[in-house]
Amino acid sequence: MDSSKEQLLSPSPSYEPERFRRSYEARESFDSDLDATEFLQSDPLTSSKPSAAFSTQPRNRWLWKSCGCFAGRSTRCIIGCLGLFAIVWLALGAGGFFAFKKYKQTPPDGLSPPWYPTPKGGTARSWADSYRKASEMVAKMTLPEKVNVTTGTGWKMGPAVGNTGPAIYVGFPALSLQDGPLGIRFADNATAFPAGVTVGATWNKQLMYEWGNAHAVEARKKGVNVILGPCIGPLGRMPAGGRNWEGFGADPYLQGIAAAESIKGIQEEGVMATIKHLVANEQEHFRQAWEWGLPNALSANIDDRTMHELYLWPFGDAVKAGVASVMCSYNMINNSYACGNSKLLNGLLRDEMGFQGFVMSDWLAQRSGVASALAGLDMTMPGDGLLWEDGKSFWGPELTRSVLNGSVPLDRLNDMVTRIVAAWYQLGQDDETKFDRKGPNFSSWTDEPEGVFAPGSPTEQETIPVNRYVNVMGDHASIARQIAAEGTVLLKHEGLLPLTRRTNTHSNETRRRDGPLQIAIFGEDAGPGEGPNHCQDRGCNQGTLASGWGSGSVEFPYLVTPVEALAKSWEGNEDVKVSSYLTNKPPFAKQPEILRDAQLCIVFANADSGEGYKAWEGVKGDRPDLFLQKGGDELIVQVAQGCHGGNGEVLVVIHTVGPVVMEKWIDLPNIKAVLLANLPGQESGNALADVIFGDVNPSGKLPWTIGKTLDDYGEGAKIMYLPNGVVPQQDFKEGLFIDYRHFDKHDIEPRFEFGFGLSYTTFEFTDCIVKELKGKSPLPAPRPKDFAVPPEYDANIPDEEEALFPKDFRKLKKYVYPYLDTVDDIVSDPYPYPDGYDIQQPLSGAGGDEGGNPDLWEIYVTVSVNITNTGDRAGKVVPQLYLQYPQGVSTVEFPVKVLRGFDKLLLQKEETKTVTFNLTRRDLSYWDINTQNWAMVTKGEYKFLVGQSSRDLPVSGTW
């Protein structure tokens, strides 16, 4: 094995094999995984709440009836179902026969080195005052109050998707956590913003900030404390990955900048941002136990250098931006569950990156009680343990018991609570003029004006107002529209665009036709279908595609469809006749004139995906391929071949969650323009019309590569659709080489490269000037001393009596409380702590402050380039800087080039501006597995290439 792939897959030399073997004890409470999880359900991440995104009054609710074989309890039916289950199980096994031979049993936990104890928060200058305030409050808390702050109350045990308990006696409120990042999930009267991938495609830092800020304004006005976004994991290793669309693109630098800007936007409004999912949750298949019929989640096996330079890189930007919370993912990393991986949470996130906020679990991603607390988890969500809505938490009363019996050190619990309270102070949520402590003014579980506080509990409860239908959208439609327009990528342009609204000419030509211009619009993706909220959590592909599906989706208050906006643009123009056929199977055979008479054809198609708990037709979260769905490719070919007898001009518009293969039609000669509009949100049609008619000059750039086949992306880019073991093992053997890095390494010609996107104007790049601000040196400056000392508390275990339920306390069934019914059974037996728990870890030289060693963020080099608009209209240009490491002076393998800078400038006709890129020490470094630090190459020359895409880099300079 390459030495660069050893550090996270095997112990460092300082660890003995027997200590290393069980560094993570996520399942220490159970005899086996199967015993612990044999009754685990598929997660109901959806609610039964119907769509009501723009409500001023209650709506009728659909009643979901039980279905399936067991509903009728017919013996024959039950036997048939069991037989079908057996066939499916065998099919899964058959798919991995040889793998099962290799993995005959569950591999040992802990292939990630132990890292204990959890570093305490409160060491960074930027958080010092918040920790001082938090320590004063936490010192006064009782044990149950501390546990209440760290434990969710349970699924549907409060108005939000995540709810913590309050610390009433000290004045700390219950926190409300709500899904993002496209908007406020399950809320009425809130904006459906463009998806993260569309934001990434803008390559516009200001819009990234505004996207986050507008979301936070709405969340705060709805009573939400914590937004569960932005999303930077998955990174996009696999182009067919189901949730790639929630993130910003398949490059760590692009993801990191977009994350940092959106976090700043969110948190400057006082709302806590949550960066997710840590880490390597790159596919939906087998992402969590039992969701796919297996007792274990997939293990993403990643080497040390790849972890740092690819998958953790954007999390470093998020931490540097001051993110309040990090969400750990469902999957395993090197055979240790993410939410119990001490190396990941304690070593990498806290020690190296200096994270000061709190770590929360993804919903039901916690797999143990004591072990996850020791490994660095601070908050469990939604509070339930292995089963949804059962009230049996790993923490709650069990955490109280674990502190009283000494298995969880009180010191660890105090740090958990202090981190959460400090984040509350850091964001100014103690200001009651902004956060009134009344909680959300909407319910995630009903659209009715009244309901119960905890609908997940069968206990009878009083009816209270739960929905107040507060409209929080303001003028955010304009932001959504601008992002959707700037996130639209012009892939092909042969003179057709922009169109005009007031004449029967099109395509920049002056010729006129006899009679009105015949325009035909084709494709289901152009129209409304059954409405944007027809399927729960947007879990189907029908009508125009404006969002993927899953917990990251929102209720649309409205959706402007492409056909609506285009028809409106030509409304009243007698020189234009528009016909629309909003189906992917128009009656071409029966009505050949549909195509024959059309002079301009606009055809729409799409590709959808989403979170793994839902499936639509053959798309089970992850896409099964990279083709357009619902016959989209065939529709485009038919239209191109038949439009005006094959002589008409064709515009293709694609809405998609990720790359799609276009080889069946992209080179057809009468396809004159192709627009890739990503996932545009509620202003879809308006934004598209802005681009088509030239109100907005297209400036979007691809946030990933479009290859000619799936094979072009490499073996590592392919989804594991069938398990290769009881614990599916996914080895990230390609290392650093994903997306454009893979294409560059293997000299593969893409159809459209990363960063590509055309404009209605042209730009010229000249005069690359490189200026050194600091000289090269192998390693960053020594790690600085902590600015502040973490809070210290009374170390004595509290009186057991304070953990008991208060007298005459009325319990809600299944609600997670911190209290115990009795303390008579508490026994302080020695706890079997994980191997390596008693070894004090050396501090990383890469750490030292929020974001890591401060020297990593110092600017060492600036690169300046002049850009001139040489076309006939104003437009925005996206200069991109790629770095090439010195060649031939090191045995370390580097990618051909990596993105290390971008900007976006508006240039008027013939205007010239200078753009300057600031390159930090981190930008110029690589992760050295031997020194365990970020290292700079001191010999040879760095090369900086600047241009408009990863393969259009006309100017360069060296250092």
Side-chain angles (χ1 to χ4, degrees), residues 132-176:
R132 178 187 59 78
K133 295 176 182 178
S135 66
E136 293 174 0
M137 178 179 281
V138 173
K140 301 173 185 176
M141 287 185 183
T142 64
L143 176 58
E145 285 185 307
K146 293 175 182 179
V147 171
N148 232 15
V149 172
T150 65
T151 306
T153 56
W155 185 246
K156 294 187 180 181
M157 298 299 176
V161 296
N163 308 273
T164 64
I168 296 174
Y169 299 118
V170 298
F172 188 77
L175 300 180
S176 298

Side-chain angles (χ1 to χ4, degrees), residues 220-221 268-270 427-429 431-436:
R220 182 180 61 79
K221 291 181 178 180
E268 285 184 16
E269 186 59 28
L427 274 296
Q429 294 193 4
D431 182 353
E432 294 190 47
T433 64
K434 288 189 173 182
F435 294 86
D436 61 14

Side-chain angles (χ1 to χ4, degrees), residues 645-910:
N647 295 315
E649 295 180 306
V650 178
L651 164 62
V652 176
V653 179
I654 302 297
H655 292 112
T656 180
V657 292
V660 292
V661 173
M662 303 177 175
E663 297 310 296
K664 293 180 180 179
W665 47 265
I666 190 66
D667 287 327
L668 294 177
N670 60 332
I671 293 181
K672 299 298 183 182
V674 177
L675 287 169
L676 189 138
N678 292 294
L679 300 173
Q682 68 185 38
E683 288 290 320
S684 173
N686 288 334
L688 183 64
D690 289 341
V691 173
I692 287 176
F693 293 105
D695 303 324
V696 172
N697 193 338
S699 61
K701 301 288 183 177
L702 288 178
W704 20 250
T705 300
I706 296 180
K708 296 180 179 179
T709 68
L710 176 58
D711 288 338
D712 285 352
Y713 294 85
E715 283 301 311
K718 297 179 180 179
I719 301 290
M720 180 191 293
Y721 296 108
L722 293 174
N724 61 4
V726 176
V727 180
Q729 300 291 307
Q730 193 164 67
D731 299 332
F732 287 39
K733 294 178 181 179
E734 73 285 347
L736 302 174
F737 300 97
I738 68 168
D739 201 77
Y740 70 91
R741 300 168 181 225
H742 169 82
F743 282 77
D744 287 349
K745 178 181 180 178
H746 297 283
D747 197 24
I748 299 170
E749 186 68 25
R751 170 53 65 177
F752 297 111
E753 70 269 20
F754 175 82
F756 177 82
L758 300 172
S759 170
Y760 296 153
T761 189
T762 55
F763 302 99
E764 181 182 23
F765 288 63
T766 58
D767 305 322
C768 182
I769 299 174
V770 178
K771 183 178 179 181
E772 177 183 278
L773 301 184
K774 290 190 174 186
K776 299 174 184 175
S777 58
L779 297 175
R783 175 174 176 149
K785 294 182 179 179
D786 292 339
F787 173 79
V789 177
E792 294 291 339
Y793 301 95
D794 183 354
N796 294 316
I797 293 177
D799 186 339
E800 294 178 349
E801 295 299 316
E802 77 175 37
L804 293 172
F805 271 98
K807 187 178 180 181
D808 299 325
F809 188 91
R810 182 176 182 269
K811 303 178 188 177
L812 295 179
K813 292 181 180 178
K814 298 186 179 182
Y815 194 93
V816 179
Y817 295 103
Y819 302 109
L820 300 175
D821 290 309
T822 179
V823 294
D824 295 339
D825 58 349
I826 293 178
V827 180
S828 299
D829 288 334
Y831 182 79
Y833 290 103
D835 290 327
Y837 182 72
D838 56 348
I839 299 176
Q840 183 73 34
Q841 299 296 323
L843 299 180
S844 171
D849 200 358
E850 193 172 30
N853 191 317
D855 192 24
L856 294 172
W857 300 93
E858 291 291 312
I859 299 170
Y860 272 62
V861 178
T862 64
V863 179
S864 299
V865 174
N866 290 333
I867 309 173
T868 302
N869 183 343
T870 56
D872 60 1
R873 66 177 66 213
K876 291 184 178 180
V877 61
V878 179
Q880 303 165 37
L881 181 145
Y882 294 82
L883 176 149
Q884 283 187 350
Y885 289 91
Q887 304 294 306
V889 296
S890 171
T891 58
V892 177
E893 183 180 18
F894 296 105
V896 173
K897 56 182 173 292
V898 293
L899 180 68
R900 284 295 184 264
F902 66 88
D903 207 339
K904 195 161 196 176
L905 309 171
L906 174 63
L907 293 178
Q908 301 298 323
K909 178 183 177 181
E910 298 181 353

Side-chain angles (χ1 to χ4, degrees), residues 191 193 218 473-482 558 682-683:
T191 304
F193 291 100
E218 298 192 6
M473 293 187 287
D475 64 349
H476 295 157
S478 61
I479 297 172
R481 182 170 179 169
Q482 185 180 357
Y558 62 84
Q682 68 185 38
E683 288 290 320

Side-chain angles (χ1 to χ4, degrees), residues 450-455 459-466 810 812:
E450 294 186 334
V452 296
F453 175 77
T459 302
E460 185 177 351
Q461 302 168 56
E462 65 174 329
T463 299
I464 59 174
V466 292
R810 182 176 182 269
L812 295 179

